[in-house]
Amino acid sequence: MSNFARGHQLKNPRKKSSRVLRVGSRSELGEAFIRGQISKAVPRNIPNFGSQYKWRRKLFSRIRNIDAVGGLTLIGSWSHGTAIADYSDWDFIVKLGGACPASSGEAMEKLFRTLQLDSERFALVDLDMPAICIRDPFDGSTIDLVPAYDGSGGDYLIPSLSDASWMLSNPMAHLAFLSSVHKENWWVRKYIMLLKRWKYANTIPISSLYLEMVVAQFCLSRQSDSVLADMIEILRVLCVTQLSDLVDPTSASPRCISALNSDLVEKSDIISKITKSIELLWLIQAADKSGSAADIARYSSELYPPGGEHIYNAKLPAYLTVYKKRRVTPRYSG
């Protein structure tokens, strides 16, 4: 039995489950490889203490001390428990006080200029709609600050992706929805991480929120005893729907979540990549049945090519790299 196949038994520690794969023969290697991608996606290096943690504490403290800032809240993958090792950035809502300006660009530029005054402390401050990006000098990760104003019913007004207007978003509702699905099906976060790792490995620019909601709704509707088969079905959903806008399951009023964060990306190119991945998964399934370890290894390396689009691409000196293995994710709010 190969090293990557040994011990990949994913189960709920709190209760018995029939969805436990015990790898003991070649006919199970393909399934084991797909499940192994989940463990590779789990972040192991959490900035929770040492110089990096102190740097971040000072950063968030100075942001909170800005006159217009009324609070700072962690959102996105790190708050959902679906962050991917070496890829997921840190997303924060920066709650602003006062009247909401007509143009979101005005609020963005004002906050950006304020942060630029401290550019020596805030390494590589950059403006990338709808967020202000700060590069962590310790590991090259990105901290994205999204300016927001209070809306109604727990909604936030955040900058639109397409123009200088505002759009409604409710990150807390998305987290609550994901948590409710997790109670019904504890595999949902594992599936999300599996699909996200595939997305980053193949440089597929699908919105993480879109992917999370698609996977969550899939887990509510159906699920087989095979992670490999479920991954095929999720990718088929993306193809059948042609990456059309998804009705936000957390919103009482009609609101859609876009699959793409940019109009410059051609959906046909992405769907072509998804179709290719489905074909590779079918080939892995066939190789699983025939027991061909060589074919499984070849198709698996094409499905999850090494490297991929690595977002932590800053060249940093070795003495600035702080890696502490700790599983507790810090929550910054205020």
Side-chain angles (χ1 to χ4, degrees), residues 237-258:
V237 168
L238 297 178
C239 279
V240 169
T241 59
Q242 295 287 297
L243 298 176
S244 58
D245 289 352
L246 177 71
V247 177
D248 191 341
T250 69
S251 177
S253 58
R255 187 186 304 170
C256 291
I257 300 173
S258 176

Side-chain angles (χ1 to χ4, degrees), residues 41-49 53 56-57 60 73-85 88-92 175 189 193 312 324-333:
V42 177
R44 291 177 172 81
N45 302 312
I46 307 299
N48 204 28
F49 38 31
Y53 182 59
R56 289 201 178 192
R57 287 294 295 267
F60 298 133
T73 304
L74 178 66
I75 60 171
S77 299
W78 284 100
S79 68
H80 293 177
T82 58
I84 304 301
S88 295
D89 50 20
W90 295 77
D91 300 312
F92 289 87
L175 175 58
R189 284 189 169 93
M193 296 172 77
Y312 294 0
K324 296 288 187 181
K325 292 188 177 181
R326 187 169 174 120
R327 295 282 180 161
V328 180
T329 304
R331 289 181 175 271
Y332 303 97
S333 60

Side-chain angles (χ1 to χ4, degrees), residues 62-72 92-96 104-118 122 125-127 130-134 144-149 159 166:
R62 295 183 75 87
I63 293 173
R64 288 193 187 95
N65 288 334
I66 296 175
D67 290 339
V69 173
L72 190 66
F92 289 87
I93 283 285
V94 181
K95 184 179 174 182
L96 301 177
S104 62
E106 180 183 338
M108 289 281 291
E109 290 179 10
K110 183 177 179 180
L111 183 59
F112 178 62
R113 285 196 301 271
T114 303
L115 293 175
Q116 271 189 317
L117 297 177
D118 249 338
F122 301 162
V125 178
D126 195 11
L127 186 60
I132 295 167
C133 308
I134 298 176
D144 289 342
L145 305 174
V146 181
Y149 287 88
W166 297 92

